[in-house]
Amino acid sequence: MTLKDFLSQGDRFAANTGCILKEVREGYARAELVVTPDHLNAGGVCQGGVYFTLADIALAAVMNSREQLTFGIENNIVFLKSAKVGDTLIAEAVEVFNHHKIPYVDVRITNQNGDLCSVVTGLAYRKAANLGIDGLE
């Protein structure tokens, strides 16, 4: 099983939200989601938790791309632009610092037009446990 399969099948919350992990490379991941009426908040725009869930699956892919079990320990999210029904949100996560225990990742969420909608930063704790996967994709 690849890392992409492991996360796509194992992170049921992200999958049930509609997040699709599209690409995983060492130090990089991309995930996408199409905004539906189920994603809207009371104000009629995409709920912040949707942005965070999309960013989180991309973060998990990057943080685990070194094939060691890694868990997020701190995240920060900034909302810049609202998404509406029919928009495609794209989360691109990039490893900024590959520390052997505490990696640091930046995620930029854009819409289908390339407009920046949200920025997420994340720190993780990398355990000594190997994931036992067969590659990243």
Side-chain angles (χ1 to χ4, degrees):
M1 175 178 290
T2 66
L3 176 60
K4 187 176 177 183
D5 294 335
F6 176 75
L7 292 172
S8 294
Q9 295 168 21
D11 193 326
R12 291 175 293 281
F13 185 81
N16 288 335
T17 303
C19 300
I20 301 169
L21 197 52
K22 294 287 202 172
E23 184 179 355
V24 180
R25 299 189 314 256
E26 191 172 272
Y28 174 86
R30 183 172 51 86
E32 296 182 8
L33 172 140
V34 176
V35 178
T36 70
D38 291 335
H39 295 124
L40 302 184
N41 63 21
V45 296
C46 189
Q47 207 270 350
V50 174
Y51 287 91
F52 188 83
T53 301
L54 180 63
D56 190 55
I57 193 69
L59 279 163
V62 169
M63 291 174 174
N64 285 282
S65 71
R66 304 294 176 171
E67 301 189 27
Q68 287 180 263
L69 186 60
T70 307
F71 294 99
I73 57 173
E74 181 182 3
N75 294 292
N76 182 52
I77 187 165
V78 177
F79 302 104
L80 302 169
K81 183 175 178 69
S82 297
K84 297 176 178 66
V85 171
D87 284 347
T88 299
L89 294 177
I90 302 127
E92 289 189 279
V94 177
E95 184 179 70
V96 175
F97 186 66
N98 175 29
H99 187 271
H100 68 284
K101 286 286 184 193
I102 313 273
Y104 178 81
V105 175
D106 281 341
V107 184
R108 294 172 57 89
I109 299 176
T110 58
N111 64 17
Q112 70 278 2
N113 300 319
D115 299 325
L116 186 61
C117 298
S118 182
V119 176
V120 179
T121 57
L123 286 172
Y125 179 75
R126 189 169 281 149
K127 299 183 74 152
N130 188 298
L131 282 175
I133 57 173
D134 299 316
L136 302 180
E137 282 202 1

